[in-house]
Amino acid sequence: MVDSLGIVDAHVHIDPNSRFYTPTPGFIDLLRQMDSLRVQYALCTDHHSLYAGAAAGLAELRKVFEISQGRIYYLGVYDPRKSHECLKAMKSALSWPGFAGIKIHPSFHRIPAEAPSYRAMWEFAAEHGLAVLTHSWSISTHNPDQRYSTPKRFERYIEEFKNVRTVLAHAGGRGNGRAEIIRLLNTYENVYTDIAGDIYCLGLIESLVRSTSSHKILFGSDFPWLDPRSNLARVFLEDVSANVKEKILRSNALYVYQLDKEKV
Amino acid sequence: MLNYCGKDHRFSFRLELSMTAKWVRERIERYREAVNRLELFDCSLWLGYPEGFPLARELQLDELKKEMENHNIKGGLVSHWLGNTLSAQAGNKVLLARSPMFKAHMYSIWTGLPLYPTDAPPLPGMGTPDKCMRGVRIFPSSHNFILEDWVIGSLCEWLLLHNLPLFVWHTEVTWTSLHRLALRYPNLIIILETQTKKILYHTRVLFALMRECPNIYIETSNFVGSGYIEHTVHEFGAQRLIFGSFLPVNDPFVAIGMIIDSEIHENDKKLIASGNLKRIIREVAI
C-alpha cells in the first residue's frame, strides 16, 4: 500500500522485450516495485504497441489500469506508418479511464520527428488536450537511428501546437541533445523533459535545475529496460531543494498528464 | 482543491507542496542514513579525460576526492583514462605520480599488456607491483590483442602470484574468450565491468557465464536492469557483486541507489558496497 501522496514514474513500459533479459518485465512486477518504492502512479507504454501501434495494446493497457486500481496510466503509441489505425484506436480510448496521452518514437519507427506524417497526431493531441511523450536523444555513433529523434527536429510541431504539452524524454540523451533540450525548454512553455533511461551523468538533476525551470523536469525510470532504483535515489540525494524534488517526483507529471483530474 | 489547468499551475501546486514536502524530506533523510550505513568502497574511480562521454568533465585528484566525499565514498580504486586512450604506460605513470597524494583507503588499478613481447615500463608484470596497486585492467580490443592464454597467460600467472584481481570492460572482450580464460585460471579473480556501453543487451550471456565461472565478479555502475541485483544475489550470492560508480562519468548515486533500495539482506548490501572488494584487496600480496 502506498501513501495517498507519492511518486509518479512518468516513463515505464511493460512486458518482455527479447532484446534483453529481465526477470521482472510484467505489470505485476511493476506494481510490486511501485509498492516497494512508494511510487503512486506510473505512465506506461507496452512493448507490443511500440512495435504494432496503439491498436495492438490499448485494450490490454486499460485492463492493467483497472487491475492496478487506477495506478498505471497508459499512453497510446502513434506509429506514423499506421496513422489512421492508431488514431482510430486512440479515439476509442478517449473516454476510457486511465488513457493519459500519446507516445511517439521516431528512432524506433525510423521516421524523422519533423516528418509530415506526424501532423495528424499533433492535430489529434491538440484537439483532445492530450500530452505527447516522445523519445529524444543525441546523435549517437552506437545507434544511428537516434538521429531521427534529436530535439530540434520536434521544434516545428512544438511551435505550431503550443497547447500540446510535450515531453521530450531522456533529457536529450548523453550528447548534444542536452543543449538542444535546454533551449527548447527555455523557449517554449509547452515543452517538458524526463530523466528516464540511462542518463546517469554526474550531477544531472542539479544541472537541469540550474539550466531551466524546475517545473519542466519529470522523474521517469524506463522500467523494465532499467530499474527505477537507478534513477530514484539520485533525485532524493542530489543537492536541490525538497520542494524542487517534489515537483520532479510528482507535481510536474500530475500536471502534464492531467492525472488525478477526476479527483480535483 | 487544485487546478491543474492553465498556465498558473506552478502557483496552484503550492497547497499540495505544503502537504507533500514532508514526505520528500523524510525520504531524503532515509536515503542519507542508508548511504551512511554502507561505508562505500568503489572499484571505478577515474582520473583523466573521459573519452567518449561528451557531457563528462575531467576531474583533478582534489576534485575527485571532493566528489567522493559528496557521495560518501570512503575509498576505492583509481584508474586513469590515458591507460586506455593513449598507452598503458602513460596511465600508469600518472597513477604513480598521483598515488602519494591519495587519501587513506585509495589505491590504484594499473593498465596491463601481454608480457611478451616486452613493452617499455611501467607495466604490471615487471618485478614487484607498485605498493599502491590493487588491480590490473586490460583493454584487449582497444590495444589490439586477444584474450587467449597464449597471449595473456603470463600476465595472468603474475596476477595470481600476487593475488591481484583482473579488471576488464565487457566491451573489450568476446564472451567466449572470457569464458575460456576464466575456466583456464579458476583462481584468478576477474571483475567484469559493465561500462562503457549497455551490458543490458548481453545479460543472458552474462548470467550464463556467472553460473559457469565462480571467479567472475560484476562491477555495478551500469548493472541497472530491472531486478538484476536481486536475481544475482539469489542465483550466485552477494559476494559476486562489486560496487563501482564510474565517477566522474556517472553519478555515484545511481549505483548507490541500486544497493540501498534492493530487496536483499542488509549484510548483503554491505558486502556489495564495500565488503567484497575490501576482502579481495586484503589478499593482494605485494
Side-chain angles (χ1 to χ4, degrees):
Chain A
M1 197 59 194
V2 292
D3 299 340
S4 60
L5 297 173
I7 297 159
V8 179
D9 185 340
H11 193 138
V12 305
H13 306 279
I14 52 168
D15 296 336
N17 180 320
S18 291
R19 290 176 66 193
F20 63 96
Y21 168 75
T22 172
T24 57
F27 82 88
I28 296 295
D29 303 306
L30 172 62
L31 263 180
R32 204 184 58 74
Q33 199 160 68
M34 287 168 68
D35 283 345
S36 166
L37 298 173
R38 295 165 72 181
V39 174
Q40 185 177 7
Y41 299 132
L43 270 299
C44 179
T45 312
D46 63 315
H47 285 130
H48 194 178
S49 293
L50 279 172
Y51 280 85
L58 279 173
E60 282 302 312
L61 289 168
R62 179 181 181 173
K63 282 184 198 165
V64 167
F65 178 77
E66 288 165 353
I67 294 168
S68 71
Q69 298 184 310
R71 292 175 62 196
I72 303 179
Y73 286 81
Y74 53 98
L75 307 174
V77 173
Y78 177 82
D79 181 342
R81 299 164 302 184
K82 301 174 183 173
S83 176
H84 178 72
E85 185 187 330
C86 291
L87 293 179
K88 187 179 170 195
M90 285 194 274
K91 194 168 184 183
S92 299
L94 284 171
S95 60
W96 295 1
F99 179 58
I102 302 172
K103 170 75 182 264
I104 58 174
H105 202 310
S107 297
F108 195 82
H109 295 136
R110 296 191 174 123
I111 308 283
E114 74 276 23
S117 50
Y118 285 103
R119 172 166 293 280
M121 182 282 297
W122 288 98
E123 289 171 347
F124 184 83
E127 183 184 350
H128 299 289
L130 294 169
V132 173
L133 168 63
T134 177
H135 176 80
S136 72
W137 203 264
S138 306
I139 294 289
S140 165
T141 51
H142 311 328
N143 181 358
D145 289 343
Q146 300 290 15
R147 70 185 185 276
Y148 298 126
S149 300
T150 52
K152 65 183 173 190
R153 286 185 182 272
F154 297 91
E155 189 164 10
R156 61 177 283 193
Y157 286 124
I158 286 167
E159 189 170 18
E160 183 176 346
F161 294 94
K162 287 197 170 73
N163 66 332
V164 177
R165 300 175 304 282
T166 305
V167 182
L168 302 175
H170 311 304
R174 293 190 301 262
N176 289 342
R178 176 76 54 76
E180 292 176 29
I181 282 268
I182 298 295
R183 182 180 66 79
L184 295 174
L185 288 167
N186 292 334
T187 304
Y188 300 100
E189 182 71 22
N190 56 325
V191 177
Y192 301 81
T193 191
D194 72 35
I195 60 163
D198 54 348
I199 319 299
Y200 296 145
C201 313
L202 178 64
L204 171 72
I205 313 295
E206 293 171 48
S207 165
L208 285 174
V209 168
R210 272 199 311 272
S211 306
T212 188
S213 169
S214 59
H215 82 281
K216 297 276 197 161
I217 308 160
L218 283 64
F219 167 73
S221 67
D222 224 356
F223 172 95
W225 293 74
L226 300 164
D227 195 308
R229 293 171 285 199
S230 66
N231 258 335
L232 190 56
R234 64 199 298 217
V235 180
F236 281 108
L237 287 167
E238 279 200 31
D239 191 17
V240 295
S241 76
N243 281 351
V244 165
K245 289 173 183 177
E246 196 278 345
K247 289 182 193 174
I248 295 170
L249 291 164
R250 177 178 172 82
S251 304
N252 296 340
L254 290 183
Y255 169 71
V256 170
Y257 293 104
Q258 306 275 288
L259 310 184
D260 264 358
K261 204 174 175 184
E262 308 84 18
K263 301 173 191 171
V264 172
Chain B
M1 187 173 94
L2 295 176
N3 175 18
Y4 292 121
C5 303
K7 289 184 178 178
D8 291 338
H9 63 278
R10 281 168 286 181
F11 306 105
S12 66
F13 282 128
R14 279 183 186 158
L15 175 58
E16 192 181 24
L17 274 178
S18 65
M19 299 190 302
T20 58
K22 186 167 178 260
W23 69 260
V24 176
R25 285 195 294 270
E26 285 171 357
R27 289 287 292 271
I28 292 167
E29 277 313 303
R30 192 178 74 78
Y31 274 106
R32 283 181 181 158
E33 288 167 11
V35 173
N36 286 333
R37 281 199 299 273
L38 286 181
E39 294 285 327
L40 293 153
F41 195 73
D42 188 345
C43 77
S44 188
L45 299 163
W46 289 81
L47 292 170
Y49 177 72
E51 187 67 41
F53 296 93
L55 299 181
R57 185 173 72 85
E58 176 179 355
L59 298 182
Q60 302 305 312
L61 180 57
D62 285 346
E63 294 174 304
L64 181 69
K65 290 179 189 171
K66 181 74 178 159
E67 287 295 347
M68 289 170 67
E69 284 172 22
N70 290 345
H71 295 87
N72 209 40
I73 296 168
K74 305 296 187 190
L77 310 188
V78 182
S79 307
H80 201 288
W81 275 94
L82 281 178
N84 169 245
T85 54
L86 176 58
S87 69
Q89 294 90 336
N92 297 338
K93 278 179 188 170
V94 180
L95 289 170
L96 260 178
R98 296 286 183 277
S99 57
M101 279 87 79
F102 284 0
K103 63 180 187 177
H105 311 297
M106 282 175 81
Y107 306 94
S108 55
I109 298 177
W110 279 35
T111 302
L113 292 170
L115 298 189
Y116 182 86
T118 307
D119 279 81
L123 286 171
M126 298 174 170
T128 308
D130 173 65
K131 61 182 171 45
C132 217
M133 188 195 300
R134 292 296 182 274
V136 170
R137 181 180 289 102
I138 54 174
F139 297 98
S141 175
S142 296
H143 294 165
N144 294 313
F145 62 88
I146 55 175
L147 198 69
E148 295 294 342
D149 190 34
W150 52 278
V151 176
I152 204 72
S154 51
L155 177 63
C156 293
E157 296 286 359
W158 185 84
L159 293 171
L160 281 168
L161 187 65
H162 297 286
N163 290 332
L164 281 159
L166 177 69
F167 290 78
V168 63
W169 294 346
H170 77 98
T171 50
E172 289 284 331
V173 292
T174 64
W175 294 100
T176 48
S177 67
L178 184 60
H179 177 244
R180 210 160 30 231
L181 193 82
L183 291 180
R184 173 69 182 82
Y185 296 96
N187 293 323
L188 177 65
I189 290 175
I190 300 173
I191 299 179
L192 183 66
E193 298 173 285
T194 51
Q195 300 293 344
T196 55
K197 295 177 189 170
K198 286 183 177 71
I199 201 166
L200 177 78
Y201 298 128
H202 307 283
T203 41
R204 287 193 184 88
V205 182
L206 172 66
F207 287 129
L209 180 73
M210 292 183 77
R211 188 184 60 179
E212 290 282 304
C213 307
N215 52 329
I216 298 271
Y217 295 64
I218 301 298
E219 174 271 335
T220 63
S221 65
N222 210 19
F223 196 59
V224 287
S226 179
Y228 281 6
I229 298 281
E230 287 84 355
H231 178 78
T232 304
V233 170
H234 179 262
E235 291 287 312
F236 312 113
Q239 71 276 8
R240 303 287 290 279
L241 294 171
I242 308 286
F243 168 68
S245 69
F246 204 44
L247 186 68
V249 176
N250 272 23
D251 188 331
F253 287 141
V254 170
I256 293 169
M258 288 291 290
I259 299 171
I260 288 174
D261 282 323
S262 62
E263 295 173 14
I264 58 176
H265 194 278
E266 202 64 26
N267 288 341
D268 287 339
K269 293 181 185 180
K270 289 178 178 172
L271 285 177
I272 299 167
S274 62
N276 293 332
L277 182 58
K278 284 182 175 174
R279 177 181 52 77
I280 289 168
I281 68 168
R282 254 198 317 270
E283 301 297 318
V284 172
I286 51 175

